[in-house]
Amino acid sequence: MAQKLERLEKIMSRLGYGARRDVPHWIREGWLTVKGERPKSAAVKVYAADVELDGQPLDHPDGLTIIYHKPLGTVCSRKEEGRIIYEDFPERWLGRSPALSSVGRLDKDTSGLLIVTDDGQLNHYLTSPKHGISKTYAVTLDKPLTGTEVASFAAGTLMLEADDKPCLPAELSITGENTASLVLHEGRYHQVRRMFAAMGNHVTALERTHVGGLSLEALNLKQSEYQTVASETLKQMIV
Ligand code: URA
């Protein structure tokens, strides 16, 4: 996010520190400084990166992007029932504006690599079909693979129930009798589960292992762990 001049009270509220009306009190107490000086009013226009609270810089003042290992059993949207992924992050982050949002979704029974960001442009870049950023899944199946799945998924003709267009070609590598790695170049609702259902099989475990070139294993994040990253750095890690 480009730095811009903003009213101090707005910065403090949009970064989730509290209400605008609290800011004059923090100034009077001497808790807030701008470039080391006590500001004259809560309405003064400043850069968020120059503000300190209790001698500490503000938390990610110019945007927040997170590489996260989503655990099993959590949901990505408030519309779904269950523990929401945002509970794994500091509470203050939930008060931020623009709000954090996941880049696409993983379903409740899927774990793995998920990007969460307040950067709308980055979110669009990572999800736009134009960029076709691949996502790789480690899949465990109820029944042994037959081997016919590889050609069916690669053909670009597989129709999923209730969809009006076939899936884009996807690369399946069989890694065991009941296990495989699947690379997708699009993101449809419950796509991996539905692709295997179309082949008469059932997914019993699903993990997203890669987003583009970004690998969960290389990041060494346990379930629920995350790291923050600059948007531009993330793009370089993915592409
Ligand atoms: N495909 C699925 O079925 N579930 C996910 O969470 C992601 C891809």
Side-chain angles (χ1 to χ4, degrees), residues 157-176:
T157 52
L158 184 75
M159 285 299 292
L160 300 181
E161 215 179 291
D163 285 3
D164 54 7
K165 273 198 232 132
C167 293
L168 290 179
E171 297 91 54
L172 183 72
S173 313
I174 297 182
T175 52

Side-chain angles (χ1 to χ4, degrees), residues 129-220:
K130 199 168 89 189
H131 300 115
I133 292 173
S134 64
K135 278 120 200 161
T136 307
Y137 296 87
V139 192
T140 307
L141 295 145
D142 187 30
K143 291 189 253 174
L145 288 140
T146 62
T148 57
E149 300 86 350
V150 176
S152 298
F153 290 177
T157 52
L158 184 75
M159 285 299 292
L160 300 181
E161 215 179 291
D163 285 3
D164 54 7
K165 273 198 232 132
C167 293
L168 290 179
E171 297 91 54
L172 183 72
S173 313
I174 297 182
T175 52
E177 206 183 339
N178 290 54
T179 56
S181 166
L182 178 62
V183 183
L184 298 184
H185 302 277
E186 58 184 340
R188 301 187 190 190
Y189 179 72
H190 286 185
Q191 184 166 350
V192 177
R193 293 176 198 279
R194 291 163 70 219
M195 286 173 76
F196 281 99
M199 302 301 297
N201 211 330
H202 175 70
V203 173
T204 54
L206 187 58
E207 178 183 53
R208 182 147 81 191
T209 59
H210 295 77
V211 174
L214 189 64
S215 145
L216 185 61
E217 194 178 9
L219 290 160
N220 208 11

Side-chain angles (χ1 to χ4, degrees), residues 49-130:
D50 292 334
V51 179
E52 290 193 346
L53 181 65
D54 284 335
Q56 298 298 320
L58 300 182
D59 189 2
H60 295 87
D62 297 312
L64 179 58
T65 295
I66 302 154
I67 303 172
Y68 171 55
H69 187 165
K70 178 196 174 292
L72 283 176
T74 54
V75 296
C76 293
S77 153
R78 295 189 193 290
K79 291 183 190 141
E80 295 168 82
E81 265 181 42
R83 182 176 181 271
I84 189 129
I85 53 169
Y86 300 107
E87 289 183 28
D88 277 339
F89 307 138
E91 205 178 330
R92 190 193 312 121
W93 289 2
L94 298 186
R96 288 175 68 106
S97 172
L100 284 174
S101 130
S102 65
V103 176
R105 288 183 194 165
L106 291 179
D107 65 53
K108 192 171 180 176
D109 300 319
T110 303
S111 62
L113 194 51
L114 185 69
I115 309 299
V116 180
T117 186
D118 65 3
D119 181 340
Q121 276 182 354
L122 177 71
N123 202 326
H124 182 256
Y125 175 86
L126 296 177
T127 48
S128 160
K130 199 168 89 189

